[in-house]
Amino acid sequence: MEKIIKKAYTESIENERKGDKEEEVEAIKRIILNAKKIIIATNNQKKFKVIGDILSHIVNAKIEMLNINTNYADLTRMPAVNKGLMAVDTEKADLIIARGRLGVPGSGSMLVIMDGKGRILSASLSPSSVLHKEDIEVRIKKELIDALKRIGIDIQPLYYKNE
């Protein structure tokens, strides 16, 4: 991943970057599909179960819940990202998945997939719950499936039926 990032940085500096490349997306997919330890940055059992159930269909990894109260991330400007960074700073894992508020209260939510260094591999956004009116389990399932699909991991035929 470091070589891919360095090459993309160089392309950007030289004003030659023309968008994502297939090998970049494939590298992200490999990181996710080959993960051996995944931390879900939540202390919410409902969120943990939904995310863990979906991941168990696509990876052969040890999936653990972060043993820290992540509510404190709500005091930051980007709670979802900061929940993930709490996990990066306190755990050793191949993959971190965090879900929380996008920004200010009312801004909706974000599910973010990070590598063990805190680099964002993919993410998905949802509108405010007062707008979508779905149960948290349904919305998180949609967010994770969307975040995976954005980088070419389509589990819909295997797992998810449109509700």
Side-chain angles (χ1 to χ4, degrees):
M1 182 54 72
E2 286 76 11
K3 288 179 183 177
I4 287 172
I5 293 169
K6 186 174 182 176
K7 182 178 179 188
Y9 281 2
T10 302
E11 289 171 354
S12 292
I13 290 166
E14 295 171 357
N15 202 26
E16 294 175 359
R17 183 93 179 138
K18 304 293 186 228
D20 294 341
K21 296 177 177 61
E22 190 172 330
E23 61 266 21
E24 296 166 346
V25 176
E26 289 301 317
I28 293 169
K29 283 170 54 174
R30 276 194 309 275
I31 290 169
I32 292 171
L33 295 174
N34 294 323
K36 297 299 176 208
K37 182 177 179 186
I38 300 172
I39 297 292
I40 301 173
T42 186
N43 54 344
N44 180 312
Q45 194 62 44
K46 285 182 181 180
K47 291 180 186 179
F48 176 76
K49 182 172 178 5
V50 171
I51 295 169
D53 285 350
I54 292 171
L55 291 176
S56 67
H57 283 81
I58 63 166
V59 297
N60 184 17
K62 183 176 183 182
I63 302 170
E64 298 178 3
M65 183 166 46
L66 183 64
N67 194 19
I68 294 177
N69 185 340
T70 59
N71 291 341
Y72 299 105
D74 287 343
L75 305 176
T76 67
R77 291 178 178 235
M78 298 177 66
V81 171
N82 282 291
K83 286 180 183 186
L85 293 175
M86 288 171 73
V88 168
D89 289 342
T90 61
E91 298 284 340
K92 184 161 178 58
D94 302 308
L95 212 58
I96 308 288
I97 300 184
R99 197 263 186 184
R101 199 174 64 233
L102 172 62
V104 299
S107 61
S109 62
M110 176 167 55
L111 182 137
V112 62
I113 302 173
M114 298 176 168
D115 69 8
K117 291 185 174 185
R119 299 177 293 207
I120 296 174
L121 304 176
S122 188
S124 179
L125 302 176
S126 285
S128 172
S129 59
V130 298
L131 299 176
H132 67 66
K133 298 181 181 355
E134 294 175 311
D135 290 337
I136 192 167
E137 296 91 344
V138 171
R139 183 43 58 177
I140 289 173
K141 183 187 294 186
K142 288 179 179 180
E143 289 170 6
L144 180 55
I145 288 169
D146 181 53
L148 292 169
K149 192 173 185 177
R150 292 172 55 87
I151 45 95
I153 301 172
D154 188 4
I155 64 168
Q156 199 160 342
L158 304 173
Y159 179 79
Y160 180 68
K161 304 288 184 224
N162 285 330
E163 296 177 354

